[in-house]
Amino acid sequence: MGLRKYTRAGAAIYRSPQWKAVRLLAKRRDGFKCVSCRAVGDLEVDHIQPIRSHPDLAYDLTNLQTLCVPCHSRKTRIEVGLDVIDPKRQAWRDLVRELAKPLKDTPHHA
Ligand SMILES: [Zn+2]
């Protein structure tokens, strides 16, 4: 119920040119790092106050924070009231995700 509404409310904002501009500003401000775990790479820009409850803050830089995909999905799950994954399971998921990544950070000299 709430989840569907949240997704739809967010979708229009996420497609807008303003969002693309402000998202880049937020990432640049945060040094292109996850503000939660300092990860670089797969980054998303999160609304600290959700669009659902604070649509007026959708493009407000002070309401934005850069999060990596795992941190962002964890936060979103909590916001929409889904069960929090137990930390052991989440750690395992993160590990699997880590292992699935291409080894782009490892220099490989032929
Ligand atoms: Zn993170």
Side-chain angles (χ1 to χ4, degrees):
M1 32 174 237
L3 181 59
R4 189 180 294 168
K5 198 177 171 193
Y6 171 77
T7 308
R8 217 189 300 135
I13 285 160
Y14 293 136
R15 276 196 304 264
S16 72
Q18 296 102 296
W19 170 246
K20 288 179 179 134
V22 84
R23 184 181 58 182
L24 181 63
L25 289 174
K27 283 188 184 177
R28 203 186 307 179
R29 181 200 58 194
D30 294 336
F32 293 92
K33 286 192 183 82
C34 172
V35 298
S36 175
C37 72
R38 315 311 291 166
V40 294
D42 283 343
L43 298 173
E44 292 179 342
V45 174
D46 173 58
H47 290 90
I48 298 165
Q49 301 294 334
I51 297 169
R52 186 177 66 245
S53 53
H54 296 74
D56 50 319
L57 296 179
Y59 305 112
D60 190 328
L61 257 186
T62 63
N63 187 42
L64 301 176
Q65 60 182 350
T66 306
L67 288 177
C68 68
V69 173
C71 287
H72 193 201
S73 59
R74 222 167 325 196
K75 177 174 184 281
T76 304
R77 281 180 71 87
I78 294 165
E79 278 171 10
V80 300
L82 299 176
D83 291 338
V84 180
I85 309 175
D86 97 70
K88 267 191 197 161
R89 248 185 95 197
Q90 184 61 53
W92 173 247
R93 281 192 183 195
D94 290 349
L95 179 64
V96 169
R97 199 173 156 274
E98 218 34 60
L99 292 172
K101 275 188 194 168
L103 295 170
K104 60 182 174 192
D105 296 333
T106 314
H108 189 78
H109 301 290

